[in-house]
Amino acid sequence: MEKKQGLGMSPRPSGEHQMVMIMIASRINWNLECTNLLATTETELTGTNGRAADVSVWTINKNGDMHRPVLTVEVVKDKASFDYSYQSIMEVFEKRKTIEESYIYNYVTDVWHRVDRDGSLYEGECYSELLKINMEVTLVRYKQLKGKR
């Protein structure tokens, strides 16, 4: 039986899940060059042994340290992992008031969802006001490797 994917998950995700996470984080970091933001993978959001988003974007303070999370992305492959990630995002929204945007990306169906603090879901919406990018651009290389267009 395969474990659920998402925030606070163990054991580690599949190779494809890891590939999607790193592609998203890498492209966000490339777009964020010369800003005070940094994208990371699997960084705890709610304290020791707490929730860790697949991808999170953090502000960087004047000392160059990660200061506060402002955006999260969860990577999923099916309805069960989607539901788990959605619930986890809502828990993180409750504990981390600094998070401005959250997204869920299903790499099997190639569908993005924006998740708002009030629990609203917006299928197909992936433009980040915070980052000023369409999150689709974070997956260009992944889609090239997988032969997807």
Side-chain angles (χ1 to χ4, degrees), residues 21 24-25 28 39-42 53-57 71-75:
M21 284 175 18
I24 292 170
I28 288 173
T40 64
T41 59
E42 297 290 341
D54 288 331
V55 177
S56 54
V57 176
L71 181 146
T72 65
V73 178
E74 284 301 311
V75 176

Side-chain angles (χ1 to χ4, degrees), residues 51-83:
R51 300 285 187 195
D54 288 331
V55 177
S56 54
V57 176
W58 294 73
T59 60
I60 303 300
N61 66 21
K62 64 182 177 184
N63 297 324
D65 298 322
M66 292 171 32
H67 182 58
R68 60 184 178 93
V70 292
L71 181 146
T72 65
V73 178
E74 284 301 311
V75 176
V76 302
K77 69 174 188 175
D78 55 30
K79 174 98 170 91
S81 58
F82 180 94
D83 292 345

Side-chain angles (χ1 to χ4, degrees), residues 90 93-94 96-100 115-120:
M90 297 314 296
F93 270 149
E94 186 63 32
R96 284 293 202 156
K97 304 298 184 193
T98 60
I99 295 176
E100 299 175 34
V115 183
D116 285 353
R117 281 193 164 278
D118 67 3
S120 299

